[in-house]
Amino acid sequence: MTDTACSSSLVVLDMARHALERGEIDTAIVGASNLLLDPRTFVGFAQATMLSPTGRSRPFSAQADGFMRAEGAGILVLRRQQDVRPDDRPLGWVLGTGVNSDGNTVGLALPNGDAQAALLREVYDRAGIAPETLDYFEAHGTGTPIGDPIETAAIGAVLGQSRDGALPIGSAKSSFGHLETASGMVGLFSALAVLRHRRTPRLAHFEAPNPAIDFAGLNLEPCAESLPLKPAGRLTVGVNSFGFGGTNGHAILSDEPAAPSRTSRRPKRTRPRALPLLLSARTEAALTDAGRDWADYLDTLAPETVAEAVRGAARSRTHYQHRLAVRGGSAAEMAHDLRAWLDEPSGTAVRTGEAAPGGIVFAFSGNGSQWPGMAKQALARN
């Protein structure tokens, strides 16, 4: 569970993308929900003058007077391109994601435009997406007099002013309200709808542009009406999501996957990486017995259960002083290497050794210290 306020959905999307790219998982289920169950939250937002007294979210509008809270839930299933199954029907492709923080700001209601711009610049540079190729921008767009001008200034500085034609921008909050922790999920769904229908959504309740936003100078176009996009070719959509605690998230979606990079640091593997078998014991004799038992145990394993058994030996057992490592492979290969080691301990397939005696380590997370300088004396004396 992750909670970074209104940016939660895109933060989790970013975490899932990195886990997929590292090969830690082959499928990610990213979900978000928002339920309005506690009246105290309404009171707090109302006292902070964040809510719209007219009950409407009006992003980028001259009538913007705050946001309207809403509830709902959504789920996305993500897989790497090489793991897409024949019966999958991808709704879109994630070309890039990123997260950063506002740092120290004056208050919750005053986001940092420089940090927002830095995130956009980083995500688009890393993904190799030129501003000119962006077809639509799904903004965070809460409809607040302070937040909208800051966000559009960042979008215009990084993306709008680098284009010939104005960048269409909108916000699903005008139609759905602000789902807070799940608002980024609504933004992602809106972007996927743009890719499917090749049209921008219309900004609801939009009567006149916010005079505090220089749309022409920023080269941005608020979608007062639904606009058709190019009828053919790749579509690319950016999605912003910001949390009032200062955590910013952004994602780039497309209706076509990214072209494989020849300089990719992570070439596609034709088969899963074989994990080594790691065993340990309190004595050399016990380690020898463990090796003999595992050689017999490996003979009984079905091919699909080998990785789970090897992973369990490495992660779910106590690591004692005397240790051995068997080069990863099939169950038969590892059993053969273990028996070769039992017959001739100097064999090359198995590595053995003793762990150095460990000392005591004090770890301080920096989160919730009971007093300033906590543990400073312990550090000095030890």
Side-chain angles (χ1 to χ4, degrees):
M1 178 178 175
T2 298
D3 185 359
T4 61
C6 312
S7 58
S8 300
S9 299
L10 289 199
V11 170
V12 175
L13 178 72
D14 181 70
M15 295 166 62
R17 183 182 71 85
H18 285 297
L20 287 165
E21 288 185 346
R22 289 192 295 263
E24 297 172 357
I25 54 177
D26 59 13
T27 302
I29 300 176
V30 177
S33 64
N34 192 52
L35 297 176
L36 307 180
L37 304 177
D38 190 343
R40 291 173 295 181
T41 309
F42 279 95
V43 173
F45 281 134
Q47 291 179 341
T49 66
M50 294 180 179
L51 300 183
S52 167
T54 57
R56 293 287 186 268
S57 296
R58 296 181 172 87
F60 317 123
S61 173
Q63 290 75 36
D65 56 2
F67 64 85
M68 182 62 184
R69 302 186 74 202
E71 58 184 4
I75 291 177
L76 289 173
V77 178
L78 281 75
R79 292 194 178 101
R80 293 173 297 184
Q81 183 178 347
Q82 62 263 36
D83 294 328
V84 173
R85 301 169 183 176
D87 56 343
D88 286 339
R89 297 180 181 178
L91 300 176
W93 303 87
V94 180
L95 302 186
T97 61
V99 172
N100 78 353
S101 173
D102 276 352
N104 188 21
T105 60
V106 177
L108 291 176
L110 291 173
N112 187 330
D114 291 339
Q116 296 177 10
L119 175 63
L120 293 174
R121 193 172 294 110
E122 176 188 352
V123 174
Y124 283 87
D125 286 349
R126 190 168 57 224
I129 304 296
E132 188 65 41
T133 64
L134 197 60
D135 296 285
Y136 174 71
F137 197 98
E138 174 67 31
H140 185 59
T142 54
T144 55
I146 296 177
D148 287 2
I150 292 175
E151 181 182 12
T152 50
I155 298 169
V158 178
L159 302 172
Q161 294 173 335
S162 301
R163 302 163 51 95
D164 293 331
L167 174 62
I169 65 169
S171 171
K173 294 178 181 65
S174 68
S175 299
F176 293 92
H178 192 358
L179 271 72
E180 297 161 3
T181 52
S183 62
M185 190 64 68
V186 179
L188 291 169
F189 288 173
S190 176
L192 292 173
V194 170
L195 298 178
R196 178 179 181 180
H197 299 290
R198 305 186 82 88
R199 294 187 69 91
T200 72
R202 179 180 68 90
L203 277 168
H205 317 299
F206 186 90
E207 299 176 12
N210 189 333
I213 302 174
D214 182 8
F215 288 105
L218 295 171
N219 203 22
L220 304 176
E221 180 181 3
C223 296
E225 299 295 337
S226 176
L227 304 174
L229 299 175
K230 57 192 178 188
R234 166 182 281 184
L235 289 180
T236 307
V237 177
V239 183
N240 261 353
S241 190
F242 304 145
F244 69 9
T247 300
N248 305 316
H250 187 77
I252 309 172
L253 304 185
S254 179
D255 58 347
E256 296 180 8
S261 172
R262 295 182 180 180
T263 59
S264 173
R265 296 181 181 179
R266 297 181 182 275
K268 179 180 176 181
R269 294 193 299 265
T270 57
R271 53 175 291 182
R273 181 179 60 188
L275 300 175
L277 173 62
L278 306 177
L279 302 178
S280 69
R282 295 181 184 273
T283 64
E284 290 187 19
L287 186 65
T288 299
D289 290 341
R292 185 176 295 107
D293 291 342
W294 263 88
D296 295 338
Y297 174 56
L298 287 166
D299 289 338
T300 68
L301 293 179
E304 62 271 15
T305 64
V306 175
E308 183 179 356
V310 170
R311 188 180 297 110
R315 298 183 177 178
S316 303
R317 298 178 65 89
T318 301
H319 299 296
Y320 296 109
Q321 180 179 357
H322 296 272
R323 306 180 181 187
L324 68 80
V326 183
R327 183 177 53 203
S330 67
E333 290 169 339
M334 289 187 287
H336 174 271
D337 291 343
L338 277 172
R339 292 190 174 103
W341 170 73
L342 291 167
D343 293 337
E344 179 56 54
S346 61
T348 59
V350 177
R351 295 287 184 268
T352 60
E354 294 185 29
I360 297 176
V361 175
F362 294 92
F364 297 92
S365 67
N367 206 8
S369 298
Q370 280 70 33
W371 61 85
M374 179 179 175
K376 191 174 181 180
Q377 285 186 332
L379 178 63
R381 293 177 180 175
N382 292 279

